[in-house]
Amino acid sequence: ESSIVERKGSIEEPVKGDLKFEIKTFSYPDDEVMTLHDIHFSLRAGHTLGIVGKTGAGKTTILKLLLREYDRYKGNIQYGSHDIRDYTLDALLKQIGYVPQDNYLFSTTIRDNIRFADPSLSQEEVEAAARLADIHNDILNLPDGYDTQVGERGVSLSGGQKQRISIARSIITNPELMILDDSLSAVDAKTEESILSGLKEKRQKQTTIIAAHRISSVMHAEEIMVVEDGTIVERGTHEQLLKFGGWYKDMYRQQQLEQKLEGEDE
């Protein structure tokens, strides 16, 4: 049974507007260790927030609170000037497109995987989402195109293809808030750039949060936060963080060098 309880008289209007995240402390149930502390940020509608940091720094925990997987914390999260706990779960979650790093595809056609949220969506709409996720041409090259079966009876897809199909599945719902949780980790730099530039153009009035290990995934964001040990240690634009000369700059230089060496190896 879920520990998340809808309050009486919860708001049924779909969430929209600016997002304000103010968490003083959060610990997982039955865990005395403080997972998050002093995480504060505001995100205007239509803007993109990047979240970077080491594995276990607290990036995904921030996203779990936004998705209301946990409601017990000191602080509050407001969406459109209302506490997210004052909305019905449908009003909140139907407006959020969440793409995790580990994607789950259903044992059905690629077409039905992409339009899983609404099987009545047309082939044209499916293909538009697939193009934005830069997976359309890959699908056309599969044995049965969009009718190709995924799963135990179907074709074996690469990690990058699974990620892009999952991104297309989120895009097609046209969510008010899209969350990419390290969900570009298995695609190459060129594909990543294509997807991010397409999303930025398509979602000019909608909000996006990108949590990533790869700096290139968040470079274009209006604000980037570096999270370490459950709190924010650096924040700013890509240019500001490079001037700051902390973890972000070191990681950016390291990843640029790795990318250059990989290019030389090819």
Side-chain angles (χ1 to χ4, degrees):
E1 185 178 340
S2 174
S3 61
I4 306 302
V5 179
E6 290 187 356
R7 294 173 176 175
K8 287 185 178 179
S10 293
I11 302 165
E12 295 183 9
E13 292 293 314
V15 296
K16 63 185 300 185
D18 298 345
L19 182 63
K20 194 172 184 181
F21 192 101
E22 296 186 337
I23 297 297
K24 294 176 183 176
T25 60
F26 169 73
S27 299
Y28 283 104
D30 304 320
D31 190 348
E32 295 179 4
V33 177
M34 197 184 302
T35 307
L36 298 179
H37 63 97
D38 300 317
I39 300 278
H40 305 278
F41 65 85
S42 295
L43 182 55
R44 288 177 55 192
H47 280 200
T48 298
L49 171 71
I51 307 175
V52 293
K54 302 173 186 173
T55 302
K59 302 187 297 295
T60 296
T61 303
I62 293 171
L63 306 180
K64 285 182 176 181
L65 297 191
L66 281 170
L67 292 164
R68 281 196 70 187
E69 290 190 22
Y70 302 93
D71 270 355
R72 293 186 178 181
Y73 43 77
K74 289 184 180 177
N76 65 80
I77 304 169
Q78 290 188 336
Y79 207 142
S81 75
H82 294 286
D83 191 307
I84 62 170
R85 293 171 291 194
D86 289 335
Y87 289 96
T88 64
L89 289 171
D90 273 358
L92 176 70
L93 298 180
K94 283 187 176 179
Q95 294 300 307
I96 300 178
Y98 176 63
V99 188
Q101 180 180 4
D102 298 322
N103 318 107
Y104 183 85
L105 297 184
F106 300 96
S107 229
T108 181
T109 64
I110 286 177
R111 178 188 299 104
D112 286 342
N113 264 284
I114 292 174
R115 64 181 184 184
F116 181 77
D118 183 358
S120 69
L121 292 171
S122 68
Q123 176 68 16
E124 187 180 4
E125 289 169 303
V126 170
E127 289 186 14
R131 283 192 176 93
L132 257 179
D134 205 6
I135 189 66
H136 175 68
N137 289 336
D138 288 48
I139 295 170
L140 293 183
N141 288 328
L142 292 172
D144 297 311
Y146 282 87
D147 290 313
T148 302
Q149 290 283 332
V150 177
E152 64 271 11
R153 294 184 297 118
V155 71
S156 176
L157 298 169
S158 71
Q161 288 172 327
K162 288 177 183 176
Q163 284 190 337
R164 284 177 284 158
I165 289 171
S166 295
I167 291 169
R169 186 163 62 197
S170 178
I171 288 169
I172 207 169
T173 65
N174 196 30
E176 188 68 27
L177 170 63
M178 180 177 280
I179 299 174
L180 302 178
D181 187 4
D182 213 21
S183 49
L184 292 164
S185 58
V187 302
D188 60 49
K190 186 179 177 183
T191 304
E192 176 187 65
E193 188 179 343
S194 171
I195 294 169
L196 291 175
S197 61
L199 287 176
K200 194 166 181 67
E201 185 178 339
K202 164 85 172 171
R203 296 178 48 78
Q204 290 181 13
K205 295 182 180 179
Q206 294 159 314
T207 311
T208 306
I209 296 177
I210 302 172
H213 288 94
R214 216 158 54 185
I215 301 296
S216 56
S217 298
V218 301
M219 283 169 51
H220 69 288
E222 278 82 8
E223 182 176 34
I224 303 163
M225 305 188 317
V226 179
V227 178
E228 185 177 308
D229 296 329
T231 196
I232 300 167
V233 293
E234 298 172 39
R235 68 193 315 159
T237 64
H238 175 67
E239 291 75 19
Q240 288 169 341
L241 288 169
L242 289 181
K243 287 179 183 176
F244 184 71
W247 180 91
Y248 184 91
K249 181 180 180 181
D250 292 342
M251 188 54 60
Y252 178 68
R253 281 185 169 177
Q254 181 182 322
Q255 291 179 4
Q256 288 288 97
L257 180 61
E258 287 171 357
Q259 194 174 325
K260 186 180 177 182
L261 291 172
E262 285 172 9
E264 288 175 358
D265 289 343
E266 288 172 5

PDB file of all heavy atoms in Angstrom, residues 100-111:
ATOM      1  N   PRO A 100      13.784   7.481 -16.842  1.00  0.00           N
ATOM      2  CA  PRO A 100      14.904   7.038 -16.005  1.00  0.00           C
ATOM      3  C   PRO A 100      16.060   6.502 -16.854  1.00  0.00           C
ATOM      4  O   PRO A 100      15.916   6.287 -18.061  1.00  0.00           O
ATOM      5  CB  PRO A 100      14.289   5.919 -15.168  1.00  0.00           C
ATOM      6  CG  PRO A 100      13.230   5.344 -16.061  1.00  0.00           C
ATOM      7  CD  PRO A 100      12.701   6.493 -16.883  1.00  0.00           C
ATOM      8  N   GLN A 101      17.178   6.285 -16.207  1.00  0.00           N
ATOM      9  CA  GLN A 101      18.339   5.728 -16.909  1.00  0.00           C
ATOM     10  C   GLN A 101      18.062   4.290 -17.351  1.00  0.00           C
ATOM     11  O   GLN A 101      18.378   3.895 -18.468  1.00  0.00           O
ATOM     12  CB  GLN A 101      19.575   5.757 -16.005  1.00  0.00           C
ATOM     13  CG  GLN A 101      20.823   5.195 -16.685  1.00  0.00           C
ATOM     14  CD  GLN A 101      22.046   5.223 -15.791  1.00  0.00           C
ATOM     15  OE1 GLN A 101      21.961   5.588 -14.626  1.00  0.00           O
ATOM     16  NE2 GLN A 101      23.186   4.842 -16.320  1.00  0.00           N
ATOM     17  N   ASP A 102      17.449   3.508 -16.462  1.00  0.00           N
ATOM     18  CA  ASP A 102      17.122   2.112 -16.784  1.00  0.00           C
ATOM     19  C   ASP A 102      15.705   2.069 -17.349  1.00  0.00           C
ATOM     20  O   ASP A 102      14.734   2.184 -16.619  1.00  0.00           O
ATOM     21  CB  ASP A 102      17.227   1.238 -15.525  1.00  0.00           C
ATOM     22  CG  ASP A 102      18.638   1.235 -14.965  1.00  0.00           C
ATOM     23  OD1 ASP A 102      19.578   1.226 -15.781  1.00  0.00           O
ATOM     24  OD2 ASP A 102      18.792   1.260 -13.731  1.00  0.00           O
ATOM     25  N   ASN A 103      15.614   1.925 -18.652  1.00  0.00           N
ATOM     26  CA  ASN A 103      14.324   2.005 -19.324  1.00  0.00           C
ATOM     27  C   ASN A 103      13.634   0.656 -19.366  1.00  0.00           C
ATOM     28  O   ASN A 103      14.279  -0.366 -19.563  1.00  0.00           O
ATOM     29  CB  ASN A 103      14.512   2.528 -20.745  1.00  0.00           C
ATOM     30  CG  ASN A 103      15.502   3.681 -20.798  1.00  0.00           C
ATOM     31  OD1 ASN A 103      16.607   3.502 -21.263  1.00  0.00           O
ATOM     32  ND2 ASN A 103      15.109   4.825 -20.298  1.00  0.00           N
ATOM     33  N   TYR A 104      12.322   0.690 -19.221  1.00  0.00           N
ATOM     34  CA  TYR A 104      11.538  -0.544 -19.318  1.00  0.00           C
ATOM     35  C   TYR A 104      10.675  -0.457 -20.569  1.00  0.00           C
ATOM     36  O   TYR A 104       9.860   0.453 -20.712  1.00  0.00           O
ATOM     37  CB  TYR A 104      10.652  -0.722 -18.086  1.00  0.00           C
ATOM     38  CG  TYR A 104       9.886  -2.017 -18.112  1.00  0.00           C
ATOM     39  CD1 TYR A 104      10.473  -3.198 -17.652  1.00  0.00           C
ATOM     40  CD2 TYR A 104       8.595  -2.084 -18.632  1.00  0.00           C
ATOM     41  CE1 TYR A 104       9.783  -4.400 -17.701  1.00  0.00           C
ATOM     42  CE2 TYR A 104       7.905  -3.276 -18.684  1.00  0.00           C
ATOM     43  CZ  TYR A 104       8.502  -4.431 -18.215  1.00  0.00           C
ATOM     44  OH  TYR A 104       7.817  -5.619 -18.279  1.00  0.00           O
ATOM     45  N   LEU A 105      10.876  -1.405 -21.473  1.00  0.00           N
ATOM     46  CA  LEU A 105      10.040  -1.477 -22.662  1.00  0.00           C
ATOM     47  C   LEU A 105       9.108  -2.677 -22.541  1.00  0.00           C
ATOM     48  O   LEU A 105       9.478  -3.718 -22.020  1.00  0.00           O
ATOM     49  CB  LEU A 105      10.900  -1.608 -23.924  1.00  0.00           C
ATOM     50  CG  LEU A 105      11.840  -0.435 -24.227  1.00  0.00           C
ATOM     51  CD1 LEU A 105      12.558  -0.658 -25.545  1.00  0.00           C
ATOM     52  CD2 LEU A 105      11.088   0.882 -24.252  1.00  0.00           C
ATOM     53  N   PHE A 106       7.897  -2.496 -23.039  1.00  0.00           N
ATOM     54  CA  PHE A 106       6.885  -3.539 -22.914  1.00  0.00           C
ATOM     55  C   PHE A 106       6.963  -4.524 -24.075  1.00  0.00           C
ATOM     56  O   PHE A 106       7.430  -4.198 -25.163  1.00  0.00           O
ATOM     57  CB  PHE A 106       5.494  -2.900 -22.842  1.00  0.00           C
ATOM     58  CG  PHE A 106       5.342  -1.963 -21.677  1.00  0.00           C
ATOM     59  CD1 PHE A 106       5.538  -0.601 -21.843  1.00  0.00           C
ATOM     60  CD2 PHE A 106       5.035  -2.446 -20.417  1.00  0.00           C
ATOM     61  CE1 PHE A 106       5.421   0.260 -20.771  1.00  0.00           C
ATOM     62  CE2 PHE A 106       4.915  -1.584 -19.340  1.00  0.00           C
ATOM     63  CZ  PHE A 106       5.113  -0.225 -19.516  1.00  0.00           C
ATOM     64  N   SER A 107       6.467  -5.730 -23.828  1.00  0.00           N
ATOM     65  CA  SER A 107       6.511  -6.800 -24.822  1.00  0.00           C
ATOM     66  C   SER A 107       5.400  -6.594 -25.851  1.00  0.00           C
ATOM     67  O   SER A 107       4.404  -7.309 -25.866  1.00  0.00           O
ATOM     68  CB  SER A 107       6.324  -8.132 -24.118  1.00  0.00           C
ATOM     69  OG  SER A 107       7.305  -9.033 -24.521  1.00  0.00           O
ATOM     70  N   THR A 108       5.595  -5.581 -26.686  1.00  0.00           N
ATOM     71  CA  THR A 108       4.624  -5.269 -27.732  1.00  0.00           C
ATOM     72  C   THR A 108       5.395  -4.575 -28.860  1.00  0.00           C
ATOM     73  O   THR A 108       6.623  -4.604 -28.871  1.00  0.00           O
ATOM     74  CB  THR A 108       3.474  -4.388 -27.181  1.00  0.00           C
ATOM     75  OG1 THR A 108       2.542  -4.131 -28.226  1.00  0.00           O
ATOM     76  CG2 THR A 108       3.994  -3.079 -26.609  1.00  0.00           C
ATOM     77  N   THR A 109       4.703  -3.972 -29.803  1.00  0.00           N
ATOM     78  CA  THR A 109       5.401  -3.318 -30.911  1.00  0.00           C
ATOM     79  C   THR A 109       6.082  -2.025 -30.443  1.00  0.00           C
ATOM     80  O   THR A 109       5.719  -1.448 -29.405  1.00  0.00           O
ATOM     81  CB  THR A 109       4.429  -2.961 -32.048  1.00  0.00           C
ATOM     82  OG1 THR A 109       3.491  -1.987 -31.564  1.00  0.00           O
ATOM     83  CG2 THR A 109       3.697  -4.186 -32.557  1.00  0.00           C
ATOM     84  N   ILE A 110       7.046  -1.576 -31.245  1.00  0.00           N
ATOM     85  CA  ILE A 110       7.701  -0.299 -30.937  1.00  0.00           C
ATOM     86  C   ILE A 110       6.678   0.826 -30.985  1.00  0.00           C
ATOM     87  O   ILE A 110       6.688   1.729 -30.145  1.00  0.00           O
ATOM     88  CB  ILE A 110       8.861  -0.044 -31.931  1.00  0.00           C
ATOM     89  CG1 ILE A 110      10.033  -0.977 -31.582  1.00  0.00           C
ATOM     90  CG2 ILE A 110       9.304   1.417 -31.900  1.00  0.00           C
ATOM     91  CD1 ILE A 110      11.215  -0.887 -32.501  1.00  0.00           C
ATOM     92  N   ARG A 111       5.750   0.762 -31.936  1.00  0.00           N
ATOM     93  CA  ARG A 111       4.704   1.790 -32.033  1.00  0.00           C
ATOM     94  C   ARG A 111       3.911   1.880 -30.726  1.00  0.00           C
ATOM     95  O   ARG A 111       3.705   2.968 -30.192  1.00  0.00           O
ATOM     96  CB  ARG A 111       3.752   1.480 -33.193  1.00  0.00           C
ATOM     97  CG  ARG A 111       2.606   2.494 -33.330  1.00  0.00           C
ATOM     98  CD  ARG A 111       1.565   2.066 -34.350  1.00  0.00           C
ATOM     99  NE  ARG A 111       2.124   1.938 -35.681  1.00  0.00           N
ATOM    100  CZ  ARG A 111       2.412   0.785 -36.270  1.00  0.00           C
ATOM    101  NH1 ARG A 111       2.175  -0.366 -35.634  1.00  0.00           N
ATOM    102  NH2 ARG A 111       2.921   0.738 -37.473  1.00  0.00           N
TER     103      ARG A 111
END
